[in-house]
Amino acid sequence: MASTYSFDIVSDFDYQELVNAVDQTDREIQSRYDLKDTKTTVELGKESITISTDSEFTLNSIHTILQQKAAKRNLSLKIFDYGKVESASGNRVRQEIKLKKGIGQEIAKQITKLIRDEFKKVQGAIQGDAVRVSAKSKDELQTVIQRLKQEDFPVALQFTNYR
């Protein structure tokens, strides 16, 4: 039996689920009466989604559809980082939505500080864009997970490699 137990805190998303959500969004845009003739395109890249449409009003409608499809596929809405709306040729608008992956240094420091302050027998260590949490008891790790789920961090947190 191991003397210490640990888990990793990461910020990631299932890319295939995102592909499916964008695909469903595109299909709904083609079938909806109010969006059918807007010549809207939703393009998914490796690190961003680019939306091109005819007005900011339809852009907001597409945001709503995309968020609904992502939420149905258990994707956190915190992965979307909306860029500014730009004017495109032909009286159209374009927006790039960056996809957030990984825990930044500042947020990782906040997480380790919270663990250090509230849980004396638990250690948190920053490892790249993840945080490793270890303790001698599995129960303590469970309470850390529950406490971190209560906090509202600007990134989506997942708890992996629980051992």
Side-chain angles (χ1 to χ4, degrees):
M1 194 157 121
S3 60
T4 61
Y5 300 98
S6 67
F7 68 89
D8 293 336
I9 304 170
V10 296
S11 179
D12 203 357
F13 58 89
D14 187 351
Y15 189 78
Q16 186 58 48
E17 290 294 336
L18 183 65
V19 168
N20 294 340
V22 169
D23 209 30
Q24 285 181 331
T25 301
D26 211 25
R27 267 191 247 125
E28 186 166 330
I29 290 168
Q30 303 309 320
S31 66
R32 269 185 46 175
Y33 176 76
D34 59 337
L35 300 174
K36 197 183 294 188
D37 297 327
T38 59
K39 296 182 180 74
T40 300
T41 59
V42 180
E43 298 170 9
L44 175 63
K46 273 291 182 200
E47 296 177 1
S48 67
I49 300 171
T50 306
I51 300 172
S52 175
T53 188
D54 66 350
S55 70
E56 285 195 41
F57 179 74
T58 54
L59 185 65
N60 290 335
S61 298
I62 293 162
H63 284 177
T64 305
I65 295 168
L66 180 62
Q67 290 169 356
Q68 288 172 347
K69 301 300 180 188
K72 280 186 181 173
R73 297 192 158 273
N74 294 327
L75 293 170
S76 173
L77 300 183
K78 292 179 180 180
I79 66 171
F80 300 127
D81 184 17
Y82 297 96
K84 68 182 184 91
V85 179
E86 306 167 348
S87 297
S89 62
N91 215 10
R92 297 175 61 80
V93 293
R94 181 181 320 127
Q95 184 178 36
E96 186 174 28
I97 304 171
K98 296 259 188 242
L99 301 172
K100 289 195 269 184
K101 207 173 202 177
I103 299 174
Q105 274 314 104
E106 288 300 313
I107 298 167
K109 287 178 184 175
Q110 288 176 9
I111 292 171
T112 54
K113 182 178 180 340
L114 181 110
I115 292 170
R116 217 178 25 248
D117 292 347
E118 295 188 20
F119 304 96
K120 301 301 178 204
K121 295 182 178 179
V122 180
Q123 293 81 40
I126 300 172
Q127 296 184 333
D129 59 356
V131 176
R132 164 94 20 109
V133 179
S134 56
K136 292 198 183 294
S137 159
K138 284 186 178 182
D139 293 337
E140 290 171 349
L141 293 180
Q142 289 290 340
T143 56
V144 170
I145 290 174
Q146 294 306 315
R147 176 64 180 96
L148 289 173
K149 284 182 178 178
Q150 293 170 0
E151 277 299 309
D152 186 31
F153 290 104
V155 294
L157 298 180
Q158 288 85 34
F159 306 101
T160 60
N161 293 339
Y162 189 83
R163 32 183 132 102

